[in-house]
Amino acid sequence: MKNIAIISASVRNGRNSHRVALYFKNYLTEHQLAEAQIIDLKAYNFPIFEERLRFIPNPTEAMLSLAAAVTNADGIIVVTPEYNGGYPASLKNVTDLLYTEWKRKPIAIATVSAGAFAGTQVMTSLQFSLWKIGALTVPAMFPVATVEKTFNESGEPIDKETTDKRAAVFINELMWWVEAKQKMETK
């Protein structure tokens, strides 16, 4: 079974995007598509980026744990809110902390907002940062508008049928890229 890591990028008090991370963990598990774990950046509480992990003389256990989780994941779902047209500093921080761990890693991006635009304005800047470090961002999006009205605090969607249909397309695309990468590695 594949191993999918879900990065919950918001560290903000009262965050709502974490609801979508919970949804994906539940979706992957319930449909037996993958083993899923949430990498909750709020739990890590990293300091501001100073240097890439490989150059830090005494990395923290949390830094090593994050690196191992990203390395061991077959694919990653990044769930990020949009803050003023950009993604949160917590996500930029861990994107820059790691480097080789992201190389050729299939990553699917879910964007979240409290407003009607569903976080889509953050997509290009996040994709560009991930491309620059060699990640494989999959050509599928999962934008979530008015998140507090579409998911409850446990990650259950208000309209489960429609949300699951959207998620199936999104997850299938990620899994296709995970499979393609694994086939290339065995050649």
Side-chain angles (χ1 to χ4, degrees), residues 48-57 63 93 96-98:
I48 298 295
F49 172 77
E50 292 176 353
E51 187 57 81
R52 293 215 186 273
L53 178 63
R54 67 178 185 243
F55 298 122
I56 297 174
M63 289 174 181
N93 206 31
D96 290 341
L97 176 67
L98 305 179

Side-chain angles (χ1 to χ4, degrees), residues 43-108:
Y44 281 94
N45 195 26
F46 287 130
I48 298 295
F49 172 77
E50 292 176 353
E51 187 57 81
R52 293 215 186 273
L53 178 63
R54 67 178 185 243
F55 298 122
I56 297 174
N58 298 306
T60 67
E61 188 59 40
M63 289 174 181
L64 296 173
S65 171
L66 172 73
V70 169
T71 298
N72 294 330
D74 296 309
I76 295 176
I77 298 171
V78 173
V79 178
T80 183
E82 179 181 317
Y83 297 150
N84 302 313
Y87 55 97
S90 55
L91 183 54
K92 180 65 170 147
N93 206 31
V94 299
T95 302
D96 290 341
L97 176 67
L98 305 179
Y99 188 76
T100 56
E101 297 83 356
W102 299 118
K103 189 75 171 174
R104 295 189 180 114
K105 184 72 64 176
I107 299 177

Side-chain angles (χ1 to χ4, degrees), residues 7 9-10 17 78-82 86-88 91 109-113 122 126:
I7 297 178
S10 179
S17 60
V78 173
V79 178
T80 183
E82 179 181 317
Y87 55 97
L91 183 54
I109 302 171
T111 57
V112 178
S113 76
V122 74
L126 180 53

Side-chain angles (χ1 to χ4, degrees), residues 134-155:
L136 297 171
T137 57
V138 304
M141 295 184 356
F142 194 88
V144 178
T146 58
V147 65
E148 69 284 352
K149 294 177 184 175
T150 55
F151 288 87
N152 70 19
E153 291 180 9
S154 301

Side-chain angles (χ1 to χ4, degrees), residues 123 135 158:
M123 184 61 67
I158 304 308

Side-chain angles (χ1 to χ4, degrees), residues 160-178:
K160 185 167 175 40
E161 183 179 346
T162 301
T163 304
D164 283 357
K165 284 180 184 177
R166 290 181 56 227
V169 172
F170 181 72
I171 297 296
N172 285 341
E173 189 68 22
L174 173 62
M175 295 308 237
W176 189 92
W177 286 95
V178 166

